[in-house]
Amino acid sequence: MEKIKLAVYNEYALGYIMPERPDTFYTLKDSVLRGAPWRVMREPYFIGPNATVRLASRKDFEDFGLSFEGYDDPMYEFDTTPVSYTHLRAHETLANL
């Protein structure tokens, strides 16, 4: 069984990609301040040739202000790579500018 991918789209949206719709990104949360287009509704993004998509991590959920609770489940695929202390400090510094 293919897994639902938790992902970050163009660094401004956090969401998921269903196995049966690999060209569609469903939004959990996006941010105009990070570059997302202003939208009235949470319609999905089309994953075109110029889009950048990567697996989301627990840290991404924190950065977007969402709880990761419930997503740590075998049905989801996400980035489990540990984040370095230097990387975390860089995010803190950037957030405080």
Side-chain angles (χ1 to χ4, degrees):
M1 179 176 117
E2 288 190 68
K3 296 182 178 188
I4 298 168
K5 291 179 170 56
L6 300 175
V8 176
Y9 178 85
N10 287 341
E11 296 303 315
Y12 57 65
L14 177 68
Y16 59 94
I17 302 167
M18 300 296 290
E20 61 273 10
R21 300 285 310 268
D23 62 346
T24 305
F25 181 90
Y26 298 94
T27 307
L28 294 172
K29 188 167 183 183
D30 57 7
S31 172
V32 174
L33 297 176
R34 292 176 182 228
W38 186 84
R39 306 179 307 157
V40 175
M41 300 177 66
R42 294 271 183 241
E43 67 271 4
Y45 291 106
F46 171 73
I47 302 173
N50 296 324
T52 58
V53 179
R54 63 175 174 80
L55 286 177
S57 66
R58 291 174 189 268
K59 179 74 172 103
D60 290 313
F61 275 75
E62 288 176 28
D63 291 346
F64 278 91
L66 294 175
S67 172
F68 191 76
E69 188 176 334
Y71 290 104
D72 193 3
D73 183 285
M75 71 185 291
Y76 296 110
E77 179 180 351
F78 54 91
D79 184 1
T80 58
T81 306
V83 178
S84 72
Y85 177 77
T86 305
H87 182 83
L88 292 175
R89 293 293 302 168
H91 276 282
E92 287 176 7
T93 303
L94 187 60
N96 293 326
L97 291 178

